[in-house]
Amino acid sequence: MIRPFDLWGQRGWCNQEVVGESNYAKEIRGALGADFKPYGSEVEKDVHLIPEPTNRFDPHAVKVAYDGQTLGYLPKGQAKIYSAALTALVNRGWTPQVRARIWGREEDWDGRRRPQFVGSVTLDLADPHMIVPANMPPADLHVMLPQGRIVQVAGEEKCMTHLAQLVSPQGECWIYVTLHQVEQQRARSTRTLVEVRVNGEPAGTLSPATSAEMLPVLAHLSELGMLTAARAVLKGNRVKADVTLNVCKASSLTDAWLDAPPAAEGARPAQRATAETPGSAAAPVPQWRFVVPPGWPPPPAGWIPAQGWRPDPSWPPAPDGWQFWVRA
């Protein structure tokens, strides 16, 4: 089973050109689907970026594929700067994935010969240093909050010891962060805030207003035995850094998302402690199981959807109200 990894930094528009589409007209036409209109059709699909180190023309070649079919390649110059990061993902068992705009139409220049299909593909691809986070995801079972808006973190200057180790040479990078409820002692009172942590270390706090908005979400996920995680951008250098979260508003989370948080990853602390202690007995912790809807292929035993995973578009939609996560 393919384990897609949605490359980070995608912004919702596709401006990275793909080359060689004329050699794959049939495949591009197939990606447009049954609703193709001869005068012109356009769709957006998730496509895979597959490094081809054995390519006889270019060892840095990166193939653009949809549903196992080649649609084209990254331009040679672009492939050279992206191939290392993409290859590292593939070597870890992931399949790099991005959103693509696929367009095509039939052209009949003289009105007599058979129309010729012409297609093009463009990708929503961020700069090379922004497609993969600079740190590993949390080891504990966690759920990534959907992206949506930029939220400033305060107090990073007090946490430079470990933040400085993550700042990239380019001056910015994506990082995984986790969100935690903390009590902050003031001169005459105590207030509850959301603390942002990177690799388990404090990286600052959210404002009181934003904390008040996010705390119910943290509490809800905590009841399900899950940490709250998010994407953040770390900018700066070894002496001054700035952290901003990219998360949707808590009020924008749907009941379906709250009832069945998607793409939970990692292990519960008790499970990891057991695994790290030879001969120890497993602690009785609640277990959760991912349940596929009718018509989907059965996953391997114990399988959990990976970060950015989406079902194959050919699979039937889940019934209304389907519960993907149930207690084992």
Side-chain angles (χ1 to χ4, degrees), residues 154-290:
E156 306 100 313
E157 67 279 359
K158 303 174 184 177
C159 312
M160 285 303 301
T161 301
H162 57 277
L163 288 180
Q165 300 173 17
L166 291 174
V167 175
S168 73
Q170 292 81 10
E172 65 174 347
C173 61
W174 284 103
I175 55 175
Y176 285 101
V177 300
T178 53
L179 308 182
H180 306 262
Q181 176 178 321
V182 295
E183 301 297 324
Q184 187 180 76
Q185 186 65 48
R186 308 179 72 185
R188 298 184 178 181
S189 63
T190 301
R191 63 182 179 181
T192 305
L193 297 177
V194 172
E195 183 176 72
V196 178
R197 298 178 188 172
V198 180
N199 297 341
E201 297 289 340
T205 58
L206 302 185
S207 70
T210 304
S211 293
E213 177 191 343
M214 298 301 301
L215 283 169
V217 179
L218 272 63
H220 174 75
L221 294 177
S222 178
E223 290 178 357
L224 297 179
M226 302 177 187
L227 279 178
T228 303
R231 299 184 183 203
V233 173
L234 173 64
K235 293 184 178 181
N237 52 44
R238 64 182 183 179
V239 297
K240 180 70 171 70
D242 179 77
V243 179
T244 54
L245 307 187
N246 190 321
V247 293
C248 73
K249 288 187 175 182
S251 58
S252 299
L253 295 173
T254 64
D255 287 341
W257 191 96
L258 292 169
D259 291 340
E265 299 178 73
R268 300 182 187 281
Q271 291 174 308
R272 289 194 293 108
T274 298
E276 295 166 2
T277 307
S280 61
V285 298
Q287 298 292 313
W288 291 82
R289 179 168 57 91
F290 184 80

Side-chain angles (χ1 to χ4, degrees), residues 6-223:
D6 279 326
L7 297 183
W8 289 30
Q10 299 184 57
R11 299 181 178 181
W13 63 84
C14 303
N15 55 5
Q16 170 61 58
E17 297 291 334
V18 172
V19 298
E21 299 108 311
S22 60
N23 298 315
Y24 304 100
K26 180 180 178 181
E27 291 79 2
I28 294 175
R29 169 64 183 83
L32 290 170
D35 295 330
F36 170 73
K37 305 294 190 299
Y39 52 80
S41 284
E42 177 180 317
V43 297
E44 286 195 2
K45 304 274 190 178
D46 289 324
V47 299
H48 297 147
L49 303 184
I50 313 297
E52 288 187 339
T54 59
N55 186 295
R56 62 193 182 99
F57 299 107
D58 180 12
H60 301 292
V62 176
K63 177 172 65 177
V64 179
Y66 172 73
D67 197 23
Q69 302 295 311
T70 302
L71 304 182
Y73 283 80
L74 285 185
K76 190 171 183 178
Q78 294 295 95
K80 186 173 182 179
I81 63 176
Y82 280 97
S83 61
L86 297 175
T87 298
L89 282 173
V90 171
N91 290 341
R92 288 162 51 192
W94 299 98
T95 301
Q97 177 172 278
V98 294
R99 201 68 173 165
R101 170 189 173 271
I102 305 173
W103 173 89
R105 71 178 182 185
E106 291 183 351
E107 296 182 347
D108 185 359
W109 296 107
D110 55 17
R112 290 175 295 184
R113 67 178 185 177
R114 184 177 180 181
Q116 181 179 6
F117 177 83
V118 176
S120 71
V121 181
T122 53
L123 309 176
D124 186 351
L125 188 59
D127 292 335
H129 66 281
M130 294 295 284
I131 62 175
V132 179
N135 60 337
M136 297 293 289
D140 291 336
L141 192 66
H142 65 278
V143 173
M144 297 289 290
L145 291 175
Q147 298 182 79
R149 58 172 177 158
I150 303 302
V151 177
Q152 181 65 51
V153 176
E156 306 100 313
E157 67 279 359
K158 303 174 184 177
C159 312
M160 285 303 301
T161 301
H162 57 277
L163 288 180
Q165 300 173 17
L166 291 174
V167 175
S168 73
Q170 292 81 10
E172 65 174 347
C173 61
W174 284 103
I175 55 175
Y176 285 101
V177 300
T178 53
L179 308 182
H180 306 262
Q181 176 178 321
V182 295
E183 301 297 324
Q184 187 180 76
Q185 186 65 48
R186 308 179 72 185
R188 298 184 178 181
S189 63
T190 301
R191 63 182 179 181
T192 305
L193 297 177
V194 172
E195 183 176 72
V196 178
R197 298 178 188 172
V198 180
N199 297 341
E201 297 289 340
T205 58
L206 302 185
S207 70
T210 304
S211 293
E213 177 191 343
M214 298 301 301
L215 283 169
V217 179
L218 272 63
H220 174 75
L221 294 177
S222 178
E223 290 178 357

